[in-house]
Amino acid sequence: MHLLRYSVMVATVGCLTAGPQLIACSSDDPPQAPASSAPNVDAGPVTGPELTVSTTRAKLYLGQTAKVDGASVAPNITANIAWTVLDAPFESAVKTETLRDAASSTPSFEPDVLGTYSLQVSGENEGVSSSVIVLIEAIDAPVFWREALVSVDDFEGDAGTLSTSLATHVGGVHGTRDRVVDCVVSMDTEDDAQSQMTYEFAMRLASAGDTWEAPPGMPSRVVFPTLSVDKATKVASTALAVATSQSSCGAAEAKTLVTVEMPVPSNEGVIPLPNVVYAARFSPDGNRIAYVHDTNSKTRLATIGFDGSSNRDLSPFHAVPNGGALDPSAGIPPLGGDAPRLPVAVRWKDETHVGWITFVRTSVEATDFVGWELYVAEDRDGSTPELAMHCSVSMPASFDFLPDGTIVVAARHLELADAGSVPMNLLVYRPDATKQCELVRKLTGGTTTDDIARDLALSPDKTQLAFFSGFGSGEVDNGLNSLALFTVPVDGSRPPALVPGAEQGAQPGRAPRWVAGGTSLTWGQVNYASQGASGFGQVMSISARGGTTTALTTGGLLQVPNDRGGTRTSLRTVSGIGQGCNVSHGTAPTGIVAIGAMLGGAALVTRRKRRTA
């Protein structure tokens, strides 16, 4: 049978589509209200994940619970133990009486504001009294985002110039001031086709990438694709770059790992994509990066060290056309008449194995998929990919590996269809190459095609999923669309629970990410006003327990006079890094495309007319 023969009209927000058919990513139906499949269930009291403090000086992320190991920090105190709070930051409510188990060797407390907390333990050992002071600093967890600034200068009586710049920022989930961690890439061009490509790729590469959160006090890491254009030769290059939360332009750790040259586009606006790099993901320890690259129209899976070491070309990516093996010659169609068939984002199964989903077609030319396959390859030279499972009755949008060997997938499963309705649910499959889509359990209970549970993000302890859920199929900019943010245990022990305060947390947006050791959630979203786009791109945050959503940064549209009697129109677009099930070179928020028509298209047409006159 052919997979997903029905069509769903798509209004894409940071997702991958090909015409009316969902190919990959998260949202094929922009929701209007929280879906009934994800009820507002009280998840019960939530405390921040504990961090054991075993030294007299320690750091943790604000939101984590500090549990002090008294046997390590004060081994000479074994009797008559008493802990007191000597000092806490201004406005903190932490006091001696708020300590839990203050008369034990393992007291705990939750820092409530950024800053240093001073605790003292007093007691004795064999009649000898002593005391020890412990300093615990609550710091802000880093959050990365990409900023794309696209400007068109319209000069009086002269051709204009389209300028594009890309930069990577880091800020704090609790509002620490942001700064740039890499070198800003700037591109200016007056060539129509070059301008088209520069703009398109700047937008589409802006949010692609991934982040890895380090233990508190150590630099976290970010990887992202970027774009540069040689104005003289008109040759563009995509590159895989890295940086850290403590780096800046020129720092040794802010560097390019892989560079791939792209051909010059045609003046018909068709952008060929035989060479491009994208879809990077960190290994669990942050030391390796898996990524996908198209080279000479062939799509490959590769890995590389964060330090640039051991670049390995692991495997062909696609199982085309026979479905029985990975095809070394298979690639992604060019961006032009047909949208690219981009992959579901790769995931690391563990520190040394990478897994990925490939869609299977009947032939290279076919547009209908007949199934998908999950492959796993060991991260070593000469590894042989192994088929983990195959399926022809569901369409996955994103997935991840669970500790018990199963996988969780956001997918439409045809066998669960009722009266022609095929909801997108979070489903747990058991990979088995000898069986067809062995369904273990449903984590959400959508019943209609409009029910959507998508953009799954696995918590650091791998016990919970955060995801967006919604219902509806309206236009993305009609002011009615919203998504609700939910969590659900991977074992299905309770129904999905709404994150209080995130009832309309996406508007619409991209997948959530757990930060600060799993105590907070961040996501990227597009903010629509009643009159079109206003404030393009926001990075939002909320406590995993719920509370008030906070915009960590936002974009916008600005028009100002330039120095030659014309107008400079600038669009600042902000995108969370790695906050999407698959953000790569076929991805563009719908609103950004609309602004692109205004910034790029109108300007390009104007320049053509002036040159022709």
Side-chain angles (χ1 to χ4, degrees):
M1 70 181 281
H2 284 267
L3 182 64
L4 294 185
R5 279 292 192 178
Y6 62 87
S7 293
V8 179
M9 292 308 296
V10 183
T12 308
V13 179
C15 300
L16 173 61
T17 58
Q21 188 178 40
L22 176 70
I23 303 303
C25 201
S26 53
S27 175
D28 53 282
D29 314 286
Q32 292 179 323
S36 58
S37 60
N40 185 359
V41 176
D42 183 3
V46 180
T47 58
E50 287 186 343
L51 185 71
T52 300
V53 176
S54 56
T55 61
T56 56
R57 289 181 177 270
K59 294 182 179 182
L60 50 69
Y61 290 127
L62 183 61
Q64 292 181 306
T65 297
K67 185 174 183 178
V68 185
D69 181 8
S72 296
V73 300
N76 293 326
I77 299 177
T78 59
N80 299 323
I81 299 172
W83 289 86
T84 57
V85 176
L86 298 180
D87 192 24
F90 181 69
E91 295 185 346
S92 172
V94 173
K95 300 177 182 179
T96 298
E97 50 268 31
T98 64
L99 294 178
R100 292 187 290 272
D101 301 320
S104 74
S105 61
T106 55
S108 62
F109 74 101
E110 287 188 55
D112 53 356
V113 296
L114 298 171
T116 301
Y117 298 77
S118 300
L119 276 65
Q120 178 177 273
V121 57
S122 302
E124 57 185 46
N125 181 29
E126 297 182 351
V128 178
S129 299
S130 62
S131 64
V132 173
I133 294 177
V134 178
L135 302 179
I136 299 173
E137 184 182 1
I139 63 175
D140 208 354
V143 178
F144 294 93
W145 61 84
R146 288 278 274 170
E147 176 184 299
L149 186 64
V150 181
S151 302
V152 173
D153 269 313
D154 185 13
F155 298 136
E156 190 66 32
D158 195 1
T161 301
L162 185 142
S163 303
T164 305
S165 65
L166 292 169
T168 308
H169 292 246
V170 66
V173 70
H174 294 286
T176 299
R177 185 176 179 180
D178 75 279
R179 63 183 186 83
V180 177
V181 298
D182 64 344
C183 296
V184 178
V185 177
S186 299
M187 296 154 282
D188 296 336
T189 178
E190 295 181 0
D191 178 85
D192 286 357
Q194 194 77 46
S195 296
Q196 174 86 8
M197 184 181 71
T198 301
Y199 172 77
E200 291 283 347
F201 276 83
M203 294 295 94
R204 295 172 182 182
L205 293 174
S207 59
D210 194 22
T211 65
W212 176 79
E213 184 174 272
M218 298 179 64
S220 293
R221 296 177 173 182
V222 59
V223 57
F224 49 92
T226 190
L227 171 73
S228 61
V229 178
D230 186 316
K231 191 173 181 179
T233 63
K234 300 182 181 179
V235 173
S237 300
T238 57
L240 195 66
V242 294
T244 73
S245 56
Q246 297 178 8
S247 65
S248 58
C249 182
E253 63 272 25
K255 60 185 177 183
T256 297
L257 300 182
V258 179
T259 300
V260 178
E261 284 193 351
M262 300 160 56
V264 179
S266 70
N267 277 318
E268 285 72 35
V270 176
I271 305 172
L273 296 179
N275 302 312
V276 69
V277 59
Y278 55 97
R281 293 283 172 175
F282 276 109
S283 61
D285 61 7
N287 290 326
R288 299 284 295 170
I289 299 164
Y291 67 97
V292 181
H293 67 92
D294 297 338
T295 303
N296 299 322
S297 300
K298 299 176 183 180
T299 305
R300 307 282 300 184
L301 174 70
T303 61
I304 192 171
F306 180 78
D307 59 0
S309 63
S310 302
N311 191 7
R312 299 168 183 149
D313 196 355
L314 288 188
S315 170
F317 198 92
H318 291 294
V320 179
N322 58 16
L326 293 165
D327 187 347
S329 64
I332 292 176
L335 179 61
D338 291 327
R341 269 63 170 169
L342 295 183
V344 173
V346 302
R347 298 287 183 179
W348 288 79
K349 183 178 181 180
D350 51 40
E351 301 286 359
T352 58
H353 292 83
V354 183
W356 71 99
I357 284 176
T358 175
F359 294 106
V360 180
R361 289 178 280 166
T362 55
S363 67
V364 174
E365 296 78 18
T367 58
D368 289 331
F369 295 100
V370 295
W372 57 273
E373 296 176 342
L374 173 67
Y375 281 87
V376 177
E378 186 178 359
D379 181 22
R380 62 175 176 81
D381 293 326
S383 65
T384 301
E386 295 184 1
L387 176 66
M389 69 175 289
H390 62 97
C391 187
S392 62
V393 295
S394 74
M395 172 61 79
S398 56
F399 86 106
D400 210 339
F401 292 95
L402 298 180
D404 64 357
T406 59
I407 64 171
V408 58
V409 181
R412 296 187 183 276
H413 192 105
L414 295 180
E415 291 184 343
L416 300 178
D418 182 17
S421 293
V422 188
M424 178 176 285
N425 280 310
L426 299 189
L427 309 172
V428 176
Y429 291 114
R430 179 175 289 107
D432 186 335
T434 67
K435 296 181 180 180
Q436 174 76 222
C437 286
E438 184 180 354
L439 181 62
V440 177
R441 59 184 171 273
K442 292 171 56 180
L443 299 180
T444 57
T447 58
T448 73
T449 301
D450 288 337
D451 290 333
I452 301 167
R454 65 169 180 86
D455 290 5
L456 59 90
L458 192 59
S459 62
D461 62 5
K462 300 185 182 298
T463 63
Q464 294 206 59
L465 293 166
F467 65 98
F468 287 131
S469 182
F471 177 88
S473 57
E475 295 297 324
V476 295
D477 59 352
N478 64 5
L480 300 177
N481 297 296
S482 63
L483 291 174
L485 183 61
F486 290 82
T487 62
V488 65
V490 298
D491 62 5
S493 57
R494 66 159 171 81
L498 175 69
V499 178
E503 292 86 350
Q504 296 181 349
Q507 302 185 36
R510 298 194 183 118
R513 176 179 290 277
W514 300 82
V515 297
T519 64
S520 292
L521 290 161
T522 64
W523 66 92
Q525 75 178 36
V526 178
N527 181 31
Y528 287 96
S530 58
Q531 301 297 323
S534 75
F536 249 94
Q538 294 185 138
V539 177
M540 308 297 294
S541 71
I542 193 171
S543 169
R545 309 178 189 184
T548 302
T549 57
T550 301
L552 302 182
T553 185
T554 188
L557 188 65
L558 180 66
Q559 289 184 310
V560 297
N562 58 34
D563 57 2
R564 293 180 59 183
T567 301
R568 164 162 282 213
T569 302
S570 299
L571 169 65
R572 177 175 179 260
T573 302
V574 176
S575 302
I577 292 180
Q579 303 196 7
C581 63
N582 184 35
V583 184
S584 56
H585 66 265
T587 302
T590 306
I592 293 176
V593 172
I595 290 297
M598 180 170 63
L599 272 183
L604 295 176
V605 170
T606 300
R607 288 200 294 274
R608 280 196 201 99
K609 289 181 178 179
R610 285 175 176 163
R611 292 196 183 108
T612 305

